[in-house]
Amino acid sequence: MALHMSSLFLRTLREDPADAEVPSHKLLVRAGYVRRVSPGIYAWLPLGLRVLRNVERIVRQEMDAIGAQELVFPALLPREPYEATNRWTDYGDNLFRLKDRKGGDYLLGPTHEELFTLTVKDLFSSYKDLPVSLYQIQTKYRDEARPRAGVLRGREFVMKDSYSFDIDAAGLEKSYQAHRDAYVRIFDRLGFDYVIVQAMSGAMGGSKSEEFLATAEVGEDTYVRCASCGYAANVEAVRVPAPDPVPFADAPAAHVEDTPDTPTIETLVDHLNERFPREDRAWTAADTLKNVVVMLVHPDGTREPLAIGVPGDREVDEKRLEAQVSPAEVEPFEATDFDANPALAKGYIGPGALGLDGTAHIRYLLDPRVAEGTRWVTGANQPGHHVIDLAAGRDFTADGTIEAAEVRAGDPCPACDSVLQSARGIEMGHVFQLGTKYAEALGLKVLDEKGKLVTVTMGSYGVGVSRAVAAVVEGNHDEAGICWPRELAPADVHIVAAGKDEQVLAAAEQVAVDLEDRGLSCIVDDRRGVSPGVKFKDSELIGVPTIVVVGKGLTRGVVEIKDRRSGLRREVPVGSAAAEVLAEVGRA
RNA sequence: CGGGGCAUGGCGCAGUUUGGUAGCGCGUCCGCUUUGGGAGCGGAAGGUCGCAGGUUCAAAUCCUGUUGCCCCGACCA
């Protein structure tokens, strides 16, 4: 049965809602797909629900196609399983918590590794049962610090999450690849541009992880990509290529110089150029070695100072650093910490004092760019003094390297000779090799063929289903409204009855009946007393891909078929309208 | 949690500086006209101006407190 605009539970808005900023948010509200109920919590109106269900259908089809089995867990969960994996604590304020009448602790599930793991443990106990992949499409809850952009980032949202269970790493790799392939098919069908980027496995203890990002200016994730070789990575995961070692046999010896009042890189470079000018070129910040000290706080509460050496023209990227040192957290090195480490001369810290073997006994990690044989200007560990021509490997060594320096557009690509570009994206999917973290914590083991207990190895895979609705709109709209890809549109055809005559309404209705009979879903704008202009505007705002206009052409026996996206229109005889539309929709 | 902004009929906004009968556009309802690009005319309904307290003859407007929301940053499908 076609949807009729005269009775549809829908009110389109002429103006953008005041609280909306990004295009998808404005359009989804204006076109009557969603309504805000509370910050980050949205109601899906009839048209919106249809789109959401279409996304779910695509995801479900592709998951079923790789043999994953659908089930559904409750969103309301007891505390215990999350206690076992420490996530009751680790999730912190992001977890919605509640109590039942007896005072028992519950939570609204933010993701379901624990439940899947426990249920597999409950039912399976042999390697013969594996591999198995399970998934659900379910409403998740996260008490986001700052929900934003409508359904793009809500506190309640629909996610498809799946989990694979394998006996060994080779099996996990296969399950992972199957999911990754399924995700490629899902996102191809959803119809937005996306990139697959390498991501950090980080705290989760896994070994491999990739994110699917919809390319969008409004995205919250920054990633880099290489135009020539296709390399793409989340900023956290970028590996800096280490330069080849430089021979330092004939390099000048390091020498300490007076550099008064030069506590910052900028003042130091100015001073160098004034007092110690180079013959070949001017000194730049990239010639200096900046040593930053931070305080790591380990999960058990112990604190450990860490020194990081990066070229002076780069900042330490906090996100990258945290990804590297995870699960430890990073805190600033406070004045009291300097007091406790008198070997550190604030503003003039140099490698001499650093390292576990150094006078300050602080672990010292270097940016990969500080390769053997490279020469640097750096702190001499006494106020007002720096060392020039300090050669890495000859004059100092560190305890290792670390990927913590900021990544910039124009940096060399780690995979080829080209350079990286920076871009923004919306995280739409994540595939992730978890390994044994959850299986171990929850005791998921099976007997192998030799009768020995082995811990199961897992993968976890997510798709933001409700988020996808917004992401699709971000990538598929124009000035007038939304342009849905066919598979997602709330209907196949939008029929506009443009005219007041009864024949127009009757003819529009007949076209709708013909199309519905042939398996297409229709929206019919049968509102009386509404001018054609309003109906045209609404049809473009709502964004169904094919629009059929039944109006003044009827006296000549024709109706108009219009493509929403291109705006192209053509007239066809009213009698063959249904067949023509079917051809247009590609289901003839 | 830090910074900025906003709160006035269903929606979008003005009015607040300088206290004096709460206004505009859209939408909604009724009537007539109109019908291929958000129609015209006439009529109508609808607001204790976020909340609480205070100043005053008088508060949307001034003072104090409070709550909520939006945006920008640290976290995530």
Side-chain angles (χ1 to χ4, degrees):
Chain A
M1 182 62 180
L3 293 178
H4 289 80
M5 290 288 278
S6 59
S7 56
L8 184 60
F9 186 58
L10 170 76
R11 181 107 308 148
T12 59
L13 304 179
R14 191 178 293 227
E15 293 169 276
D16 286 334
D19 58 1
E21 196 71 16
V22 305
S24 64
H25 187 193
K26 290 177 181 172
L27 289 171
L28 286 170
V29 173
R30 272 190 64 203
Y33 286 87
V34 300
R35 294 295 296 178
R36 194 186 73 101
V37 170
S38 178
I41 303 178
Y42 283 78
W44 294 85
L45 302 183
L47 289 184
L49 187 59
R50 285 183 161 219
V51 177
L52 186 67
R53 294 285 180 249
N54 288 341
V55 175
E56 288 179 4
R57 192 190 62 244
I58 291 171
V59 171
R60 188 169 279 124
Q61 285 172 355
E62 297 299 344
M63 293 312 296
D64 291 346
I66 61 167
Q69 301 173 59
E70 183 172 10
L71 50 72
V72 62
F73 281 106
L76 179 61
L77 299 166
R79 169 177 176 165
E80 289 72 26
Y82 287 79
E83 195 68 71
T85 54
N86 225 13
R87 291 214 291 184
W88 177 262
T89 310
D90 286 353
Y91 241 99
D93 289 336
N94 273 353
L95 203 59
F96 272 108
R97 300 156 205 266
L98 58 165
K99 285 186 187 294
D100 70 2
R101 62 170 69 201
K102 295 181 198 159
D105 283 318
Y106 286 81
L107 61 100
L108 295 176
T111 170
H112 283 69
E113 279 81 0
E114 286 81 355
L115 276 294
F116 277 87
T117 307
L118 286 172
T119 305
V120 171
K121 179 185 177 185
D122 197 20
L123 298 179
F124 282 2
S125 51
S126 159
Y127 74 97
K128 293 178 184 169
D129 298 321
L130 302 182
V132 65
S133 284
L134 305 171
Y135 77 98
Q136 62 177 347
I137 295 175
Q138 194 224 27
T139 304
K140 307 289 187 193
Y141 297 86
R142 293 183 193 171
D143 192 0
E144 294 283 346
R146 192 161 81 82
R148 63 178 288 267
V151 296
L152 207 49
R153 179 195 181 84
R155 296 194 293 168
E156 177 182 285
F157 57 97
V158 179
M159 179 165 112
K160 187 286 299 181
D161 52 328
S162 46
Y163 306 87
S164 64
F165 300 85
D166 282 278
I167 194 78
D168 56 23
L172 170 58
E173 181 61 31
K174 258 177 92 175
S175 298
Y176 177 91
Q177 199 58 41
H179 270 88
R180 189 184 190 280
D181 293 345
Y183 277 27
V184 166
R185 287 189 291 271
I186 289 170
F187 293 118
D188 283 348
R189 287 175 69 181
L190 288 180
F192 48 71
D193 288 332
Y194 66 94
V195 291
I196 303 172
V197 304
Q198 296 176 25
M200 282 303 295
S201 28
M204 309 286 279
S207 53
K208 191 169 176 184
S209 166
E210 290 168 287
E211 289 173 359
F212 290 69
L213 302 182
T215 58
E217 274 305 306
V218 301
E220 300 177 272
D221 283 23
T222 305
Y223 67 97
V224 292
R225 71 193 304 184
C226 170
S228 66
C229 76
Y231 171 87
N234 202 307
V235 170
E236 284 93 325
V238 172
R239 319 296 304 179
V240 173
D244 291 331
V246 188
F248 43 65
D250 52 354
H255 45 107
V256 176
E257 300 291 352
D258 275 352
T259 53
D261 299 323
T262 56
T264 66
I265 297 293
E266 196 179 18
T267 52
L268 173 62
V269 170
D270 288 347
H271 186 85
L272 289 172
N273 281 321
E274 193 177 312
R275 297 288 314 281
F276 308 98
R278 292 174 66 121
E279 289 171 10
D280 50 347
R281 59 175 172 83
W283 292 101
T284 71
D287 297 314
T288 69
L289 177 61
K290 175 161 63 179
N291 297 295
V292 178
V293 188
V294 297
M295 188 62 81
L296 298 186
V297 182
H298 292 285
D300 61 5
T302 58
R303 299 165 70 84
E304 179 205 356
L306 173 69
I308 300 146
V310 299
D313 61 332
R314 283 175 197 269
E315 298 298 327
V316 169
D317 184 318
E318 212 170 312
K319 282 176 125 177
R320 276 169 57 74
L321 175 59
E322 291 196 340
Q324 293 296 323
V325 301
S326 176
E329 301 206 344
V330 178
E331 287 185 4
F333 204 73
E334 307 283 357
T336 52
D337 296 318
F338 274 105
D339 294 344
N341 289 278
L344 297 177
K346 192 168 193 287
Y348 301 89
I349 300 172
L354 301 172
L356 294 172
D357 302 331
T359 53
H361 305 291
I362 291 176
R363 191 151 64 101
Y364 183 41
L365 300 174
L366 286 171
D367 185 84
R369 292 177 192 82
V370 188
E372 186 169 297
T374 54
R375 300 206 305 274
W376 304 89
V377 179
T378 189
N381 295 306
Q382 43 179 313
H385 292 79
H386 281 87
V387 192
I388 302 179
D389 287 323
L390 198 72
R394 179 190 69 183
D395 303 321
F396 70 101
T397 56
D399 304 308
T401 60
I402 188 168
E403 295 278 0
E406 62 179 322
V407 174
R408 295 192 204 133
D411 282 351
C413 171
C416 72
D417 294 334
S418 189
V419 295
L420 296 175
Q421 306 164 341
S422 173
R424 309 263 288 171
I426 304 165
E427 186 174 355
M428 295 310 310
H430 199 163
V431 290
F432 192 55
Q433 296 192 2
L434 280 177
T436 56
K437 170 174 171 163
Y438 289 91
E440 234 154 52
L442 297 164
L444 171 58
K445 298 177 185 199
V446 296
L447 291 171
D448 68 8
E449 54 235 298
K450 292 171 192 147
K452 282 196 154 173
L453 274 179
V454 295
T455 301
V456 170
T457 185
M458 295 170 54
S460 93
Y461 318 90
V463 172
V465 172
S466 48
R467 172 177 283 183
V469 174
V472 168
V473 175
E474 285 299 330
N476 296 276
H477 70 271
D478 59 22
E479 284 298 302
I482 302 170
C483 307
W484 290 112
R486 289 212 176 274
E487 275 209 272
L488 298 181
D492 294 307
V493 186
H494 187 126
I495 301 164
V496 172
K500 59 178 175 177
D501 297 338
E502 285 305 319
Q503 300 98 292
V504 169
L505 289 171
E509 187 61 32
Q510 189 55 52
V511 172
V513 169
D514 291 348
L515 289 171
E516 293 267 337
D517 282 349
R518 300 183 198 204
L520 295 192
S521 62
C522 299
I523 296 173
V524 189
D525 198 341
D526 59 337
R527 291 175 291 179
R528 293 165 189 269
V530 173
S531 69
V534 172
K535 293 183 177 180
F536 291 141
K537 291 288 186 193
D538 275 346
S539 70
E540 282 153 8
L541 181 59
I542 289 168
V544 169
T546 299
I547 298 167
V548 175
V549 182
V550 180
K552 67 183 182 189
L554 209 53
T555 55
R556 291 181 289 120
V558 299
V559 298
E560 196 173 282
I561 299 175
K562 188 163 74 170
D563 183 73
R564 167 64 184 93
R565 195 180 293 264
S566 68
L568 294 178
R569 54 181 81 183
R570 63 197 175 97
E571 290 187 333
V572 301
V574 62
S576 56
E580 293 284 347
V581 169
L582 245 72
E584 180 109 1
V585 174
R587 296 206 209 149

